[in-house]
Amino acid sequence: MAPPGNLAPIDWQRPWLADLAALGRRAAALVEQGACVAEALNALVAAGHAPDPGVRFVPQQALPPGLAYEQFVYEQCSVPTRDNLHDFFNGLAWLHWPLAKGRLNAWQHDAIARAGVGAVRGPLRDAITLLDENGALLCAPAPLHRALAARQWRQAFVELRPLWRQARLLPFGHALLEKLVAPRKSITAHVLQAPDAIATIAGADAWLAQGLGAEALAAKPFNPVPVLGVPGWWAGNESPCFYDDPLVFRPPRGA
């Protein structure tokens, strides 16, 4: 087990953790008291602090050698969990996005059952991995989606900045959240366009589980968005010059 306090670098005041902070703080406190990450996550469910996500968290050693992780999760309803930031955020994602995580896991399992693990994941499994690790959902007015899809960064973040008051960027990927523990300007998410009427993370979970089909996801309908450009997420982006970095806010393809 990792030493107590290994979750200490997390700053729960960060805006991207707003929806996760209540449960996250509780789980982190249990880890600081000596629980492993799996025990801490299970304790939240057992105490009624979190709804039952349909899985339990188990130590990584429970995963048999040679068995695909996704197959084990689906068949055993158990998530192998290491004592690190990456798996801690994966556990929090299961607690907040249980419908979507379950649907993605079922698609992974079915794809493995049909074709095996293989050296190449295939379009659907590849898209699932991108979303699961580095994805986010953007609920926003249509002009923002269009500007981001076209990589018109100044239009999206400067000219249309008032529209961000009507928008919510919801991090989904646990690797994305892990990277944001040490924020840097280049961190970029694979962003899915979601209905702007979604008002809660539970609503976003239901939409992602029921409103996005496997065929649509396999087409990788993501927009790359440097997340520290989101208004309110980083003090530096109050200056329009923040978006003039072509190594981060890259021009449209072919420009």
Side-chain angles (χ1 to χ4, degrees), residues 125-180:
R125 291 193 64 212
D126 189 37
I128 291 171
T129 300
L130 288 173
L131 177 59
D132 195 43
E133 294 282 346
N134 201 56
L137 273 67
L138 178 62
C139 312
L144 282 181
H145 288 297
R146 289 195 294 268
L148 291 171
R151 302 191 187 187
Q152 298 294 331
W153 305 117
R154 291 189 68 84
Q155 182 183 20
F157 291 119
V158 180
E159 297 168 22
L160 298 177
R161 200 173 186 87
L163 286 184
W164 283 94
R165 301 191 191 99
Q166 306 170 39
R168 292 189 72 194
L169 182 64
L170 301 171
F172 180 84
H174 50 285
L176 173 64
L177 290 165
E178 181 187 15
K179 288 184 285 188
L180 283 167

Side-chain angles (χ1 to χ4, degrees), residues 21-130:
L23 292 181
R25 288 179 188 273
R26 289 180 183 272
L30 292 173
V31 172
E32 289 172 4
Q33 294 165 19
C36 69
V37 170
E39 291 169 341
L41 294 167
N42 289 330
L44 295 184
V45 178
H49 297 308
D52 190 339
V55 295
R56 291 294 177 266
F57 303 95
V58 297
Q60 181 68 23
Q61 302 91 298
L63 178 62
L67 183 64
Y69 169 90
E70 297 89 352
Q71 182 179 353
F72 179 83
V73 172
Y74 183 85
E75 295 176 354
Q76 301 298 321
C77 296
S78 299
V79 179
T81 302
R82 299 164 296 182
D83 292 301
N84 58 27
L85 285 167
H86 189 83
D87 285 12
F88 176 75
F89 282 121
N90 184 49
L92 285 184
W94 271 102
L95 296 183
H96 290 85
W97 302 83
L99 300 177
K101 293 284 281 188
R103 175 60 62 88
L104 295 178
N105 176 241
W107 285 345
Q108 287 270 30
H109 174 267
D110 293 348
I112 291 172
R114 288 193 303 270
V117 176
V120 179
R121 291 178 180 270
L124 178 59
R125 291 193 64 212
D126 189 37
I128 291 171
T129 300
L130 288 173

Side-chain angles (χ1 to χ4, degrees), residues 9-34:
I10 302 173
D11 181 356
W12 294 107
Q13 300 295 324
R14 297 293 193 184
W16 48 84
L17 293 176
D19 291 300
L20 308 183
L23 292 181
R25 288 179 188 273
R26 289 180 183 272
L30 292 173
V31 172
E32 289 172 4
Q33 294 165 19

Side-chain angles (χ1 to χ4, degrees), residues 170-226:
L170 301 171
F172 180 84
H174 50 285
L176 173 64
L177 290 165
E178 181 187 15
K179 288 184 285 188
L180 283 167
V181 171
R184 59 187 185 280
K185 189 176 182 179
S186 60
I187 294 175
T188 300
H190 290 78
V191 173
L192 274 177
Q193 177 177 340
D196 62 351
I198 291 175
T200 65
I201 196 169
D205 181 36
W207 175 82
L208 188 53
Q210 301 168 9
L212 183 67
E215 184 175 347
L217 181 59
K220 299 185 179 66
F222 307 115
N223 291 323
V225 177

